Amino acid sequence: MIPTSAITNMQSRKFKEVEHYQSPSRDYFLLPFKFHRISVEKEVIVNEVGDFLVVPTGTTTRIVAGEINSGSVSDQELYADLIANFFISESALPDLIEVLATRYRTKKSFLDYFTSLHIFVMSLRCEHTCHYCQVSRVTSDKNKYDMSRLHIEAGIRLMMKSPNPHVTMEFQGGEALLAFENIVYAVEKAKIEAEKYEKKITYVVCTNLALLTDEMLLYFHENKMLISTSLDGPSFIHNKNRHKPNASSHQLAVEGIKRCREILGSEHVSALVTTTTLSLEYPEEIVDEYVALAFRNIFLRPISPYGFATRNKDRNKYEAEKFLEFYKKALGRIIQYNMDGYFIREDYASIILKKLLTPFPVGYVDLQSPAGLVNNVIVFNYDGAVYASDEARMLAEMNDFTFKLGTLGENTYEEIFYGNKVAALSEVMTNESLPGCSECAFQAYCGVDPVFNHATQGDLIGHRPTSSFCQRNMEIIRYLIALMDKDKKIEKIFRSWITGKS
């Protein structure tokens, strides 16, 4: 029953005069765009395909009010930019609307071939005891935690059913090298199947490098395999974060990186930083370590809220603001190295910059809409369970199987990729239609992560104002735009990061 007070309010509420709802008289038509204030003096406007303009604060109000005058000397350049970048049009339907449509399709072309990245968790065993481990690793003597060859074969069969002609087969752990014989088995089996299905396969091994042997290096070289490792900074940080009993994990990682470069080539070796509370105090030292080891790129990423990381809150839990402070200081150091003549890029910024400055899509799962889970990545766990993403697999190690899609050898490709769970997920995988995202100026540059939302907020859609995913991405995107607007030298450096030309 409606309260009497509510009825009284409805009866007393009056519509404004019709003139209030009429559009202002303009010499142009508005096209869809969003806006965001990036500083006191400046705001950025962004159209549907991610083209942006940095303009004086208040310009959005003037555009909407129809106050931009093509005949005014002060507005001529702005008017031309607004027309050229599809913010306004001189006709109800722009003459070049098909160009805009083509650019939108190009931005979304990562969907054309469906799943590319297939992660095989070869073993849960590991000889490190990293306090931020995102999977509940087991000690190295528990062989029952290796992926069986039946599951390896079933995973390869599903990979071959992907419509994508170029797939990536990534071996993870635990420590993947503890199951090296099974890696060899998987690669040889995949090579045979790839010939049948006319697919190209890229092989990636994720490893801490502590167990690397000459035999392994020779095999990786013969098969043009890529190596992804972890380097959290100088030894006093890395050894604390990535503890190995009775050994220096930092020394083993550095030696392994050098050996891989000698045999495989520098372009076949990459490293990642995981930022703990200890790391937050040393942004410049971490960057310096990467430069000292002659890296040309560094990927600064926050801790993930999964697995062991959640059990060590004192060392692993921090607010988004703390990470952003760390990130900006580290990015400043990286920019300074570039200004001094040493080319090194920050990978997360580079991904965002590609979305900002080019018409092309990116393959990074966390910054895709529709979300990259299933569309771009699938995970085959050591026990045969199939998950929608690597983070979904990590969540399962906390006994949350929300994103388990099936089991290798038991469920068909259609049941896994087109089943009820994926159908339900697809409703929350597009940020164009999510509350808080649909009206955000940075929507075109961001992504959506229902697994993160579920893990941190207990909801697949999530609540944007309290989401650390949202807070981090909004501020990093704003900061990158503001830096480019402030200093053209920085913009030139940023453009070199996405072209690879210093």
Side-chain angles (χ1 to χ4, degrees):
M1 186 172 184
I2 302 175
T4 304
S5 60
I7 294 175
T8 303
N9 288 337
M10 285 189 289
Q11 289 175 338
S12 63
R13 184 179 300 159
K14 295 181 179 180
F15 283 105
K16 295 182 179 181
E17 297 300 323
V18 66
E19 290 79 9
H20 177 80
Y21 302 97
Q22 292 176 341
S23 298
S25 176
R26 308 186 192 95
D27 294 330
Y28 50 83
F29 295 84
L30 295 180
L31 297 176
F33 71 89
K34 307 178 183 75
F35 64 95
H36 185 88
R37 181 173 291 182
I38 61 171
S39 68
V40 174
E41 300 85 10
K42 297 291 184 69
E43 61 192 24
V44 62
I45 56 176
V46 186
N47 70 11
E48 289 295 279
V49 295
D51 294 333
F52 71 93
L53 289 175
V54 177
V55 293
T57 297
T59 302
T60 299
T61 300
R62 293 186 61 221
I63 295 170
V64 174
E67 296 175 359
I68 308 301
N69 186 354
S70 61
S72 168
V73 174
S74 60
D75 280 347
Q76 282 181 352
E77 184 176 352
L78 173 62
Y79 187 88
D81 286 342
L82 293 173
I83 291 287
N85 289 282
F86 296 100
F87 290 101
I88 62 175
S89 172
E90 293 178 331
S91 58
L93 190 65
D95 294 337
L96 298 177
I97 189 68
E98 286 302 321
V99 173
L100 190 65
T102 299
R103 294 181 63 188
Y104 192 84
R105 286 194 297 271
T106 301
K107 286 280 188 179
K108 299 296 184 181
S109 62
F110 64 89
L111 294 168
D112 288 352
Y113 298 110
F114 205 42
T115 317
S116 58
L117 176 58
H118 296 74
I119 296 175
F120 288 70
V121 182
M122 302 306 288
S123 177
L124 206 59
R125 296 184 288 141
C126 189
E127 29 50 81
H128 275 53
T129 56
C130 308
H131 64 76
Y132 60 57
C133 184
Q134 295 159 357
V135 295
S136 301
R137 82 254 158 181
V138 295
T139 52
S140 57
D141 59 345
K142 296 184 178 180
N143 291 304
K144 66 179 181 178
Y145 292 101
D146 286 8
M147 180 181 271
S148 72
R149 294 194 171 183
L150 287 176
H151 284 148
I152 290 172
E153 293 171 1
I156 291 171
R157 286 196 295 272
L158 287 184
M159 183 170 68
M160 291 300 126
K161 287 193 173 184
S162 171
N164 200 315
H166 187 173
V167 295
T168 296
M169 190 176 193
E170 183 172 297
F171 302 107
Q172 287 193 15
E175 172 47 51
L177 295 187
L178 283 167
F180 176 67
E181 291 183 358
N182 277 350
I183 291 177
V184 173
Y185 181 83
V187 171
E188 296 305 315
K189 189 75 176 176
K191 281 160 47 176
I192 294 170
E193 296 300 304
E195 286 191 20
K196 293 181 188 176
Y197 291 91
E198 298 181 342
K199 290 191 184 296
K200 182 178 179 181
I201 304 179
T202 297
Y203 302 100
V204 181
V205 179
C206 298
T207 170
N208 58 42
L209 298 175
L211 303 175
L212 189 67
T213 66
D214 290 341
E215 176 194 1
M216 295 173 184
L217 275 171
L218 180 60
Y219 187 79
F220 298 153
H221 176 66
E222 290 174 348
N223 290 279
K224 299 179 181 178
M225 298 172 75
L226 305 177
I227 300 298
S228 177
T229 192
S230 293
L231 182 68
D232 284 359
S235 59
F236 73 93
I237 299 175
H238 187 94
N239 287 338
K240 277 277 190 180
N241 286 352
R242 304 183 57 80
H243 180 255
K244 180 174 172 60
N246 305 314
S248 168
S249 59
H250 178 267
Q251 181 179 345
L252 290 168
V254 170
E255 290 175 354
I257 289 167
K258 291 178 179 178
R259 290 172 66 196
C260 286
R261 285 173 172 169
E262 289 173 2
I263 304 300
L264 309 178
S266 296
E267 69 280 3
H268 282 72
V269 187
S270 62
L272 294 171
V273 176
T274 298
T275 308
T276 63
T277 53
L278 174 63
S279 310
L280 293 175
E281 304 300 321
Y282 302 99
E284 296 182 342
E285 289 82 353
I286 291 171
V287 174
D288 291 346
E289 178 73 0
Y290 270 72
V291 172
L293 293 173
F295 277 100
R296 296 293 179 171
N297 65 302
I298 181 172
F299 199 138
L300 302 170
R301 59 177 185 167
I303 207 86
S304 296
Y306 310 101
F308 282 6
T310 62
R311 304 177 195 176
N312 293 278
K313 293 184 179 179
D314 291 341
R315 290 187 285 184
N316 299 327
K317 186 174 176 60
Y318 46 80
E319 299 301 321
E321 290 81 2
K322 288 287 187 182
F323 174 77
L324 288 168
E325 182 182 347
F326 161 86
Y327 183 88
K328 290 176 183 179
K329 287 182 179 178
L331 185 65
R333 188 71 155 190
I334 294 166
I335 291 170
Q336 189 58 55
Y337 271 114
N338 280 269
M339 287 190 169
D340 292 340
Y342 183 86
F343 178 88
I344 179 171
R345 70 173 183 269
E346 199 285 304
D347 284 341
Y348 196 72
S350 299
I351 293 164
I352 293 172
L353 289 165
K354 185 175 180 180
K355 301 189 88 171
L356 281 164
L357 301 173
T358 81
F360 306 113
V362 300
Y364 185 63
V365 172
D366 291 2
L367 291 176
Q368 289 180 332
S369 176
L373 59 159
V374 183
N375 287 312
N376 206 336
V377 61
I378 198 78
V379 177
F380 306 134
N381 207 14
Y382 72 97
D383 58 0
V386 181
Y387 295 102
S389 70
D390 201 23
E391 290 75 19
R393 186 260 297 206
M394 297 169 188
L395 202 60
E397 296 296 336
M398 302 165 67
N399 295 314
D400 185 336
F401 299 95
T402 301
F403 302 93
K404 181 181 177 182
L405 305 180
T407 303
L408 293 172
E410 296 180 18
N411 297 104
T412 65
Y413 181 89
E414 289 71 23
E415 289 170 340
I416 291 171
F417 286 86
Y418 302 106
N420 292 334
K421 278 203 173 182
V422 173
L425 279 175
S426 66
E427 296 182 6
V428 295
M429 288 169 60
T430 306
N431 66 10
E432 285 90 342
S433 61
L434 289 181
C437 290
S438 60
E439 63 269 28
C440 177
F442 301 147
Q443 171 265 314
Y445 314 128
C446 198
V448 56
D449 192 344
V451 181
F452 183 90
N453 295 339
H454 174 78
T456 58
Q457 299 182 316
D459 181 84
L460 292 177
I461 294 175
H463 181 243
R464 236 54 67 204
T466 55
S467 168
S468 59
F469 177 88
C470 182
Q471 292 164 7
R472 285 195 307 268
N473 285 333
M474 282 193 70
E475 178 55 18
I476 290 173
I477 294 167
R478 184 207 68 80
Y479 189 62
L480 293 175
I481 293 173
L483 284 176
M484 287 189 289
D485 181 63
K486 181 180 179 181
D487 190 334
K488 292 305 176 185
K489 290 181 181 178
I490 293 179
E491 180 182 349
K492 184 178 180 181
I493 288 169
F494 284 172
R495 289 186 179 277
S496 77
W497 291 2
I498 57 178
T499 61
K501 298 177 181 178
S502 57

